[in-house]
Amino acid sequence: MTVYGNFPGSRPRRLRTTPAMRRMVAETRLDPANLILPAFVREGLDAPVAISAMPGVYQHTLDTLRKAAVEAVSAGVSGIMLFGVPEDSRKDARGTVGTDPEGILQLGLRAVREEVGDDLVVMSDLCLDEYTDHGHCGVLTADGRVDNDATLERYAEMAQVQADAGAHVVGPSGMMDGQVGVIRDALDQTGHEDVSILAYTAKYSSAFYGPFREAVGSSLKGDRKTYQQDPANARESLRELALDLEEGADMVMVKPAGPYLDILAKVADSVDVPVAAYQISGEYAMIEAAAEKGWIDRDAAILESLTGIRRAGARMILTYWATEVAQRLGRGGS
């Protein structure tokens, strides 16, 4: 081939020649400190129960939850987000077990704090869906609609009991209007000024939640489209963001992560508070299923998916692979 002048004058491939070169010039880095482990603790178990749609993920006993928390700390994971799974017989229309100081989530919070103290940021899901016999995230009216303002009263109670149980951070995920402000007031009025709020700011009504409903033993019939966001909408998420920040959110989140990277990037570019994204159960299940079939490289796909979420602007990523990936990164994986 005849080369004319300096053609090609620029050779970007020079910066891709070796692993060391690629590592040196990488624009996005994934670190164990970016990762938060979602974990399920279930009432009445003698041994952990595997979640069929999420290979490697379990409903924990209090003892195995403690062990998972210790393992996460050892790997360098920053936080753990706890979800409680009560016995079906304990569910009712108002989700009262969610505000019972001896409810399963509160027991889990206390167990983890006793085990790891402040070495892990202990977070709690603040929502009623796990505890209601109808499976919705709030209190229902007589004609079956979710009553926004009555639900806020329940969220205020939940915030107090979760903070009393040791939560460093509460994560209101119900998408009720005004939830952040009501929860902030409830925490401040009960001496929990230091408890942070991670607002589920843009939580979409997604088809990817399916495996999660097995994980929490959901009683839901129907859908949550009247309160979770429409996947067709983008600007709406920025309106939700402005409201959450005005009401006192300390951190904000986009959920799901992978299908909504455009939303995540918009949110990250708009705020000066930490931004999280939740790589949800369906995202996890798809990679695990494809890898089990031999269709993709499992470990490479996991890291690529998380790097993409980080590149889009997430400072923190909730992922069921948190401990595994943190251990791999600690061994020099990338």
Side-chain angles (χ1 to χ4, degrees):
M1 175 182 178
T2 303
V3 176
Y4 299 95
N6 291 325
F7 175 83
S10 179
R11 295 183 183 268
R13 288 181 57 190
R14 294 185 186 118
L15 301 184
R16 305 170 194 155
T17 51
T18 67
M21 177 68 80
R22 293 190 294 273
R23 187 169 59 248
M24 183 179 73
V25 301
E27 298 174 24
T28 304
R29 299 191 189 280
L30 190 63
D31 186 90
N34 301 131
L35 304 177
I36 297 166
L37 176 69
F40 307 99
V41 57
R42 178 174 161 186
E43 188 173 24
L45 292 185
D46 295 323
V49 173
I51 299 167
S52 63
M54 301 173 68
V57 181
Y58 297 86
Q59 293 172 327
H60 284 287
T61 69
L62 289 172
D63 285 341
T64 61
L65 179 65
R66 288 174 180 267
K67 293 175 183 177
V70 170
E71 188 177 26
V73 171
S74 298
V77 171
S78 282
I80 187 168
M81 174 67 81
L82 300 187
F83 297 84
V85 186
E87 295 179 351
D88 283 346
S89 62
R90 297 255 280 157
K91 296 180 181 182
D92 61 26
R94 292 181 58 79
T96 53
V97 70
T99 50
D100 181 351
E102 298 304 312
I104 186 59
L105 178 55
Q106 285 68 254
L107 295 178
L109 288 167
R110 287 199 288 272
V112 172
R113 283 299 302 273
E114 288 170 3
E115 194 68 34
V116 301
D118 294 333
D119 292 340
L120 198 62
V121 179
V122 179
M123 305 178 170
S124 56
D125 178 62
L126 199 163
C127 196
L128 287 170
D129 60 316
E130 294 100 324
Y131 311 107
T132 53
D133 54 11
H134 48 72
H136 278 288
C137 297
V139 179
L140 301 186
T141 62
D143 60 356
R145 295 179 297 108
V146 175
D147 186 327
N148 191 95
D149 295 358
T151 298
L152 295 182
E153 295 179 13
R154 300 289 294 126
Y155 286 2
E157 296 175 48
M158 293 188 82
Q160 294 171 39
V161 297
Q162 291 178 5
D164 287 342
H168 294 106
V169 177
V170 296
S173 60
M175 291 299 289
M176 297 297 120
D177 295 340
Q179 63 184 15
V180 172
V182 167
I183 289 167
R184 183 71 271 159
D185 286 345
L187 291 170
D188 291 350
Q189 291 171 15
T190 55
H192 295 298
E193 297 89 351
D194 290 338
V195 173
S196 301
I197 297 175
L198 170 57
Y200 284 59
T201 290
K203 183 179 180 181
Y204 282 86
S205 180
S206 172
F208 293 97
Y209 293 133
F212 179 87
R213 292 179 182 171
E214 176 193 347
V216 297
S218 175
S219 302
L220 181 68
K221 301 294 189 294
D223 59 51
R224 300 188 173 113
K225 293 182 180 180
T226 64
Y227 45 102
Q228 294 179 352
Q229 285 184 235
D230 184 341
N233 292 350
R235 287 192 297 270
E236 182 182 32
S237 63
L238 298 181
R239 183 183 183 195
E240 294 277 5
L241 174 64
L243 291 168
D244 282 353
L245 293 174
E246 182 181 347
E247 292 172 25
D250 300 288
M251 299 169 278
V252 296
M253 179 152 67
V254 174
K255 180 181 182 182
Y260 296 91
L261 295 181
D262 60 325
I263 307 301
L264 175 58
K266 289 177 184 291
V267 169
D269 287 344
S270 301
V271 300
D272 56 5
V273 299
V275 176
Y278 197 146
Q279 185 182 53
I280 66 170
S281 59
E283 299 176 73
Y284 177 97
M286 287 192 300
I287 290 177
E288 290 286 355
E292 190 275 330
K293 291 285 189 180
W295 294 338
I296 60 174
D297 180 324
R298 176 186 181 274
D299 290 356
I302 291 170
L303 283 178
E304 184 175 341
S305 69
L306 291 171
T307 300
I309 296 166
R310 182 85 175 92
R311 187 185 64 245
R315 190 177 304 180
M316 303 98 69
I317 305 171
L318 287 83
T319 175
Y320 300 98
W321 290 301
T323 300
E324 175 191 337
V325 168
Q327 290 169 339
R328 199 189 318 168
L329 293 172
R331 294 192 295 268
S334 61

